[in-house]
């Protein structure tokens, strides 16, 4: 359990560091860079998560030693690593969206508005969609 907790926290920490770097460089605060930030964050988040899961399961396998490491034990380790990463990640998201970058939604809406304007959508349709949000 300690192993799963450590690797779950490690996944969250690595993803949080990437998110903070993107925040500092303006990829989550500037509507012009917003989509680029999402394109960077998506694949990196997946790579970090898969790497953390693999490393966590290998660590758990090496702990079991000569007893063997069954598929069920690997599955259980993966589930717990993912569970702890999700719990820690939810905590980081609360901090990030409430205190660090409370204007994230406005940035996303501004990017969406500029995207629609670039593609020739009428102002009345854009305003209608904004009212729906």
């Amino acid at each position: 359990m300690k192993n799963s907790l450590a690797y779950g926290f490690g996944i969250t920490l690595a993803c949080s560091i990437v998110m903070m770097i993107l925040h500092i460089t303006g990829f989550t605060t500037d509507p012009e860079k917003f989509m680029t930030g999402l394109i960077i964050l998506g694949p990196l988040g997946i790579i970090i998560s898969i790497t953390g899961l693999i490393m966590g399961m290998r660590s758990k396998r090496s702990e079991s030693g000569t007893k063997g490491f069954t598929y069920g034990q690997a599955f259980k380790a993966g589930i717990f690593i993912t569970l702890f990463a999700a719990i820690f990640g939810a905590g980081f998201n609360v901090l990030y969206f409430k205190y660090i970058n409370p204007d994230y939604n406005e940035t996303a809406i501004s990017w969406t508005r500029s995207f629609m304007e670039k593609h020739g959508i009428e102002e009345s349709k854009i305003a209608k969609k904004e009212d729906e949000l």
Side-chain angles (χ1 to χ4, degrees), residues 12-61:
T12 301
L13 182 64
C15 288
S16 300
I17 289 170
V18 169
M19 187 68 166
M20 293 307 299
I21 290 170
L22 291 174
H23 177 76
I24 290 167
T25 56
F27 285 102
T28 59
T29 56
D30 182 7
E32 297 300 318
K33 296 179 179 180
F34 186 75
M35 184 51 80
T36 306
L38 293 179
I39 291 170
I40 293 168
L41 184 62
L44 273 178
I46 292 170
I47 290 168
I48 290 168
S49 299
I50 291 171
T51 303
L53 277 169
I54 290 170
M55 290 173 60
M57 284 191 237
R58 284 183 178 172
S59 173
K60 186 71 173 169
R61 181 179 62 197

Side-chain angles (χ1 to χ4, degrees), residues 23-113:
H23 177 76
I24 290 167
T25 56
F27 285 102
T28 59
T29 56
D30 182 7
E32 297 300 318
K33 296 179 179 180
F34 186 75
M35 184 51 80
T36 306
L38 293 179
I39 291 170
I40 293 168
L41 184 62
L44 273 178
I46 292 170
I47 290 168
I48 290 168
S49 299
I50 291 171
T51 303
L53 277 169
I54 290 170
M55 290 173 60
M57 284 191 237
R58 284 183 178 172
S59 173
K60 186 71 173 169
R61 181 179 62 197
S62 69
E63 284 178 7
S64 63
T66 58
K67 295 185 292 183
F69 192 61
T70 66
Y71 175 79
Q73 291 170 324
F75 185 75
K76 181 180 170 185
I79 290 292
F80 278 112
I81 291 168
T82 305
L83 175 68
F84 289 126
I87 291 169
F88 291 131
F92 173 76
N93 283 335
V94 167
L95 289 173
Y96 182 77
F97 293 116
K98 188 165 177 108
Y99 300 107
I100 298 170
N101 190 4
D103 296 328
Y104 184 86
N105 290 341
E106 296 302 320
T107 304
I109 291 170
S110 296
W111 176 83
T112 304
R113 173 179 261 290

